[in-house]
């Protein structure tokens, strides 16, 4: 009897490709909590998270059976990437469903440009002040949380890149970001700071 516990995720994936269904059961058991936590962190809705989770594993099975997986030593990255793509597809679909076509009585050319310029200048000032407040809030965060926020929003790094640069798991990077946002929202409420940027 095969000892699945001693196999890497990559080895289990290759065993499943060869027809070993129990290898996939072990792969699922190892990754389901971590993957669901990631999905839930992004979508923040248990029902949507369940749908994304199920669709992710359907795609994983399909890709494995079609031979579209090669052992690169990073099965969990591959799995998270599939979930990420499904989430982004969902957002794109949601966004396109809410596009409103302008009507004749809703012509943007009728706006006077000087009024628009004043609004833009005011929004720019407000946004500059908000970003300054965000920097002050960041300074009050514990160092690991501050580092993740900086890397994600100011350096625009992915959580994978952040994890690699800081020597922690993606889950740890996600957890630090989650706590940083919770802490910043709490501090913003305590100090009555507005954090919504004007468009």
């Amino acid at each position: 009897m095969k000892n699945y516990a001693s196999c890497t995720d990559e080895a289990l994936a290759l065993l499943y490709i060869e027809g070993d269904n129990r290898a996939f059961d072990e792969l699922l058991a190892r990754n389901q909590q971590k993957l669901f936590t990631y999905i839930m962190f992004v979508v923040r809705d248990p029902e949507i998270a369940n749908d994304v989770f199920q669709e992710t594993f359907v795609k994983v099975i399909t890709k494995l059976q079609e031979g579209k997986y090669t052992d690169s030593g990073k099965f969990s990255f591959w799995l998270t990437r599939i979930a990420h793509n499904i989430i982004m597809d969902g957002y794109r679909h949601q966004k396109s469903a809410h596009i409103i076509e302008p009507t004749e009585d809703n012509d943007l050319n009728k706006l006077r440009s000087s009024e628009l310029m004043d609004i833009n200048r005011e929004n720019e000032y407000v946004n500059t002040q908000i970003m300054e407040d965000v920097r002050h809030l960041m300074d009050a965060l514990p160092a690991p949380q501050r580092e993740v926020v900086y890397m994600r929003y100011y350096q625009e790094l992915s959580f994978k890149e952040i994890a690699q640069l800081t020597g922690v798991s993606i889950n740890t990077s996600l957890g630090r970001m989650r706590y940083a946002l919770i802490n910043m929202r709490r501090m913003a409420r305590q100090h009555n700071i507005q954090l919504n940027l004007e468009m």
Side-chain angles (χ1 to χ4, degrees), residues 123 125-135 137 184-199:
N123 287 351
Y125 173 76
V126 169
N127 290 346
T128 302
Q129 185 58 52
I130 289 171
M131 291 311 291
E132 191 61 35
D133 290 339
V134 167
R135 274 190 281 278
L137 293 175
M184 288 172 73
R185 285 188 191 117
R186 180 182 44 76
M187 288 186 285
R189 275 194 306 273
Q190 286 172 349
H191 300 288
N192 292 323
I193 297 172
Q194 168 72 22
L195 291 179
N196 293 330
L197 293 174
E198 300 293 332
M199 299 299 172

Side-chain angles (χ1 to χ4, degrees), residues 82-121:
I82 292 172
H84 169 80
N85 290 341
I86 290 169
I87 292 166
M88 291 303 109
D89 287 346
Y91 284 141
R92 278 191 284 276
H93 177 72
Q94 231 178 10
K95 197 173 178 184
S96 65
H98 291 92
I99 291 175
I100 299 170
E101 294 296 327
T103 59
E104 232 176 86
D105 60 339
N106 186 15
D107 184 2
L108 296 179
N109 292 326
K110 293 178 185 174
L111 286 175
R112 294 209 326 246
S113 60
S114 62
E115 289 174 10
L116 205 51
M117 292 285 282
D118 289 342
I119 291 169
N120 284 341
R121 264 189 240 109

